[in-house]
Amino acid sequence: MSESVRNEKDNIRRLVLIVDDEQINRRLLGRIIEGEYDVIYAEDGEQALDLIRERQKTLSIILLDLIMPKIDGYELLNIIRDDHELSRIPVIVLTSERTAEVKSLQLGAADFIPKPYDMPEVILARVRRSIELAEDNIMISATETDTLSGLYTKKYFFQHCRRYDRYYPDVPMDAVAFNINRFHLINELNGRSYGDTVIAAVAAQLRRIISESEGIACRCDSDVFLMYIKHCDDYDSILNSITSGLNSAVGNSRIHLRMGVYRNCDKSADVEERFDRANFACNSLRVSYSTSFTIYDDTMRKRAIYAEKLIGDMDAGVANRQFKVYYQPKYNITGDEPVLSSAEALIRWDHPEYGFVHPASFIPLFEKNGLVHKLDQYVWKEVAVQMREWRDKFGITIPVSVNVSRLDIYDPELESMLLGLVKENGLEPYDYILEITESAYTDNSAQMTETVNKLREDGFRIEMDDFGSGYSSLNMLGSLYIDAMKLDMLFIQKMCEDAKGMKMIQLMIDIARFLNIPVVAEGVETQEQYDLLKKAGCDVIQGYYFSKPVPPEEFEKFIEAMIKQH
Ligand code: C2E
Ligand code: CA
Ligand code: CA
């Protein structure tokens, strides 16, 4: 769009700010552009900043001298660039030194005008062009950018990446994905507006990186950022500079990022796919507590393919009964001799190609895309039928606990579905125990409390799984009603390492005592662990010490032994 067309169309005279400490220069420049623009003047950086703030909505461009008293041109450029609103206003630098030009362009200047002002036509053309470009950009940014971060939205981001590739097909590029570690907790602990501040600060850092090394960035989900930049080798220093910038912006060194890099990406793959890979690498750092990055490589590619295959095969797996429920006994150890008290149902996949697949390989995948819900329902049903079978065969009910994943909690049918299963098989809800992992409580404690309370009213027992791995506050625990606490296996593994490990166990058992609920320890493998846990007051034990999870036929020997015991 040319200037004349634009002016004919809207007929608005643009407002220009000229900043120069020398009156003669202000006058000379003013005379050149007054014919076409409204002009205001500032004599130094401070005065300029006041005017810019005051007129930021109407100001079309700033013509800025670099050497001035008080705030000089460089500093002013910095201030403008770091301010989300002001950075929309283009700045043309007025300079007599060629070296200053490069530096000012790096600082975000739109263009430069050399002194002395001996070519009025060139000056006018540059002013026109810069305004035009900025206005086009603003039009873009009104629709294409995310207001909180000022970065592109996902859709436009991919378009811009493709356009970049078209212009520069031979430039090697990296696809980078960022994520803020435990962002939901940052929100929960400090409030949403603080969360927004963190998002904006991360975005500011990414804007800085892409302006320094040429690139494009976007925020695609709440705390997921993508960046497409010229290939570089030193991601350590990129991450370090982001971290230090971030820390000083939010005044908190506990914000940690994880970053996945797909280096020198294969341009024959679709852009979205390239970022899937970067994301895949980034997500492989999910459990990390510190700031870290990883590079996408061939083993990751193989893992991604394996994951895709498992996802694709699930439906057939359910239909063909490839999923098997195994049972691991839990023993009550409060008396003289351990007594079988219940079992935990654990799923396995007898996959036609890969053989026996453990849940750690597919449950986390299925949790991400919702498939876990279907699988859990399958397991719950198998378990209810199995309990009924055992009761018919042995004349007693063996309580069984099933795993309930966080997604299940949001299902409005959850309660009626479980009640239906129990009823159909003539069981009591009390014998059907639900294990819910601790971190699911911290994700959404309000919804969780409501669901858990309803299920308990129906008579189900609730066990909090993996206790100690999440971030439950004592406050939350006090307001939550659960029937047992299951210690995270990691604590059992660390228990014998040093005095601190044992202290942690004792502390958690004390919390359970305070809440008046029994403590279950899982992953118990050795006599030493068993003895220490018994001494510490643990009530129920599950682990290889007694048995691995076994198929139902094999589990029957534990039932038979228990019946003999009595
Ligand atoms: P979890 O609920 O914490 O289950 C305990 C895990 O510890 C099981 O792993 C069990 O086999 C293992 N284990 C038991 N005793 C010992 C021991 O003495 N030493 C060691 N090293 N490990 C022991 P598994 O069966 O591989 O299951 C892993 C996770 O997958 C489970 O962790 C649970 O979160 C999930 N999962 C299993 N089945 C289901 C299911 O039906 N639905 C859902 N949503 N998740 C399931
Ligand atoms: Ca469990
Ligand atoms: Ca567990």
Side-chain angles (χ1 to χ4, degrees):
M1 203 186 301
S2 77
E3 170 63 21
S4 56
V5 172
R6 182 189 293 282
N7 268 349
E8 262 168 34
K9 217 162 79 181
D10 64 12
N11 222 353
I12 295 170
R13 271 173 78 92
R14 268 66 175 161
L15 181 65
V16 178
L17 169 65
I18 293 177
V19 190
D20 200 314
D21 58 326
E22 285 177 54
Q23 200 195 19
I24 173 91
N25 284 337
R26 291 199 298 273
R27 251 209 220 134
L28 276 171
L29 194 57
R31 194 170 300 154
I32 295 171
I33 63 174
E34 262 169 7
E36 236 171 79
Y37 298 95
D38 287 341
V39 186
I40 50 176
Y41 299 91
E43 293 172 16
D44 58 51
E46 242 172 43
Q47 203 183 29
L49 198 57
D50 287 343
L51 275 173
I52 294 168
R53 295 232 152 92
E54 205 177 289
R55 314 287 286 263
Q56 58 170 289
K57 293 265 185 288
T58 46
L59 201 54
S60 282
I61 198 163
I62 303 163
L63 309 185
L64 178 67
D65 180 29
L66 286 177
I67 319 294
M68 291 184 301
K70 297 186 195 162
I71 304 178
D72 71 11
Y74 291 116
E75 204 180 334
L76 197 61
L77 261 176
N78 256 326
I79 296 172
I80 293 171
R81 192 196 56 185
D82 287 344
D83 184 309
H84 185 47
E85 287 299 316
L86 301 187
S87 62
R88 293 164 190 267
I89 307 172
V91 179
I92 291 185
V93 162
L94 312 169
T95 168
S96 44
E97 282 172 65
R98 288 213 76 87
T99 51
E101 286 161 11
V102 179
K103 192 172 167 201
S104 7
L105 291 180
Q106 274 170 346
L107 281 173
D111 208 342
F112 58 89
I113 293 176
K115 289 180 183 177
Y117 307 129
D118 47 10
M119 291 195 287
E121 265 319 305
V122 173
I123 293 174
L124 269 174
R126 289 194 173 179
V127 171
R128 277 185 212 127
R129 196 184 62 141
S130 293
I131 293 178
E132 202 175 296
L133 281 174
E135 288 181 355
D136 280 346
N137 257 330
I138 290 168
M139 271 160 46
I140 289 170
S141 68
T143 47
E144 294 188 4
T145 59
D146 160 52
T147 39
L148 180 57
S149 66
L151 298 174
Y152 285 126
T153 54
K154 191 166 154 183
K155 185 173 150 211
Y156 286 98
F157 171 73
F158 289 137
Q159 275 181 15
H160 283 280
C161 293
R162 288 191 189 99
R163 187 177 308 160
Y164 189 94
D165 284 347
R166 236 186 355 259
Y167 289 132
Y168 306 103
D170 300 325
V171 176
M173 299 295 286
D174 296 344
V176 189
F178 294 87
N179 227 282
I180 303 173
N181 283 348
R182 293 174 176 71
F183 184 65
H184 68 277
L185 276 172
I186 296 176
N187 260 335
E188 186 150 326
L189 298 174
N190 308 283
R192 278 204 87 82
S193 76
Y194 181 78
D196 286 353
T197 311
V198 172
I199 295 279
V202 171
Q205 291 307 312
L206 297 193
R207 280 202 300 272
R208 180 172 60 76
I209 299 291
I210 58 176
S211 73
E212 281 166 7
S213 56
E214 196 164 316
I216 314 164
C218 84
R219 175 164 88 118
C220 67
D221 287 319
S222 73
D223 62 336
V224 181
F225 298 85
L226 303 178
M227 187 167 86
Y228 195 49
I229 57 169
K230 268 192 183 162
H231 172 62
C232 87
D233 278 319
D234 193 4
Y235 276 96
D236 266 321
S237 54
I238 290 196
L239 203 53
N240 282 340
S241 93
I242 292 179
T243 312
S244 58
L246 191 60
N247 289 348
S248 57
V250 295
N252 181 345
S253 57
R254 280 171 317 196
I255 310 288
H256 294 293
L257 296 180
R258 56 180 186 275
M259 175 168 92
V261 186
Y262 175 31
R263 288 165 62 174
N264 202 351
C265 47
D266 171 8
K267 291 200 177 172
S268 68
D270 184 62
V271 171
E272 295 191 31
E273 160 139 28
R274 292 177 229 163
F275 283 95
D276 281 348
R277 291 178 187 177
N279 258 321
F280 190 84
C282 187
N283 286 337
S284 72
L285 298 169
R286 188 168 282 278
V287 290
S288 155
Y289 281 81
S290 55
T291 292
S292 52
F293 78 93
T294 187
I295 306 284
Y296 182 86
D297 60 17
D298 205 49
T299 45
M300 271 188 210
R301 198 178 72 88
K302 288 195 182 116
R303 256 197 291 149
I305 292 170
Y306 179 63
E308 275 310 306
K309 180 96 170 81
L310 292 181
I311 289 168
D313 290 350
M314 191 201 92
D315 274 331
V318 171
N320 301 324
R321 303 188 62 78
Q322 292 162 4
F323 291 98
K324 314 280 181 211
V325 181
Y326 274 42
Y327 295 83
Q328 187 176 34
K330 291 177 176 174
Y331 282 87
N332 184 312
I333 59 154
T334 53
D336 292 339
E337 280 201 22
V339 181
L340 179 70
S341 62
S342 62
E344 177 175 7
L346 293 158
I347 195 169
R348 273 95 186 86
W349 189 350
D350 193 0
H351 192 278
E353 243 173 90
Y354 303 127
F356 228 66
V357 185
H358 278 264
S361 312
F362 58 86
I363 293 285
L365 287 179
F366 295 173
E367 274 176 343
K368 256 186 260 165
N369 55 25
L371 287 175
V372 75
H373 190 53
K374 186 170 175 192
L375 204 57
D376 279 343
Q377 298 205 346
Y378 173 86
V379 174
W380 300 343
K381 182 146 185 243
E382 292 284 299
V383 167
V385 170
Q386 184 64 64
M387 286 169 76
R388 170 66 183 259
E389 228 178 277
W390 280 333
R391 204 192 54 194
D392 291 347
K393 186 165 174 185
F394 298 104
I396 50 170
T397 305
I398 305 296
V400 177
S401 60
V402 296
N403 288 287
V404 176
S405 63
R406 68 194 72 213
L407 276 174
D408 300 324
I409 305 296
Y410 298 98
D411 175 12
E413 307 289 316
L414 177 70
E415 189 190 14
S416 59
M417 140 102 203
L418 287 170
L419 278 173
L421 271 183
V422 167
K423 208 166 151 215
E424 272 162 38
N425 293 285
L427 305 166
E428 293 299 325
Y430 182 80
D431 294 320
Y432 202 92
I433 307 166
L434 308 172
E435 294 194 12
I436 306 179
T437 186
E438 185 199 10
S439 58
Y441 290 84
T442 30
D443 276 357
N444 183 344
S445 40
Q447 166 106 34
M448 181 62 81
T449 312
E450 195 190 318
T451 309
V452 164
N453 287 349
K454 257 197 293 178
L455 291 166
R456 286 188 80 248
E457 275 165 30
D458 295 329
F460 292 101
R461 276 186 284 172
I462 310 284
E463 245 176 61
M464 188 189 263
D465 203 355
D466 311 317
F467 183 74
S469 68
Y471 289 82
S472 294
S473 57
L474 279 178
N475 191 14
M476 189 193 97
L477 285 172
S479 65
L480 199 71
Y481 298 98
I482 50 175
D483 302 277
M485 176 188 281
K486 199 170 187 182
L487 306 184
D488 189 49
M489 205 146 47
L490 208 65
F491 293 104
I492 313 299
Q493 282 159 3
K494 287 195 174 150
M495 185 175 78
C496 301
E497 275 175 17
D498 51 27
K500 197 174 145 227
M502 197 57 222
K503 262 212 184 99
M504 286 299 290
I505 298 268
Q506 197 63 61
L507 177 71
M508 291 187 284
I509 293 181
D510 288 346
I511 294 174
R513 287 288 159 270
F514 169 74
L515 297 171
N516 210 9
I517 50 174
V519 177
V520 183
E522 70 179 330
V524 178
E525 297 180 354
T526 67
Q527 185 72 46
E528 189 190 7
Q529 290 169 334
Y530 178 90
D531 292 339
L532 285 170
L533 285 162
K534 185 168 166 75
K535 203 164 138 231
C538 177
D539 305 277
V540 175
I541 290 223
Q542 174 187 350
Y544 299 167
Y545 176 76
F546 287 113
S547 168
K548 293 194 168 185
V550 293
E553 316 80 73
E554 222 177 295
F555 188 81
E556 294 185 359
K557 70 173 189 242
F558 299 111
I559 307 178
E560 283 157 358
M562 181 196 62
I563 292 171
K564 259 196 215 133
Q565 216 177 6
H566 281 83

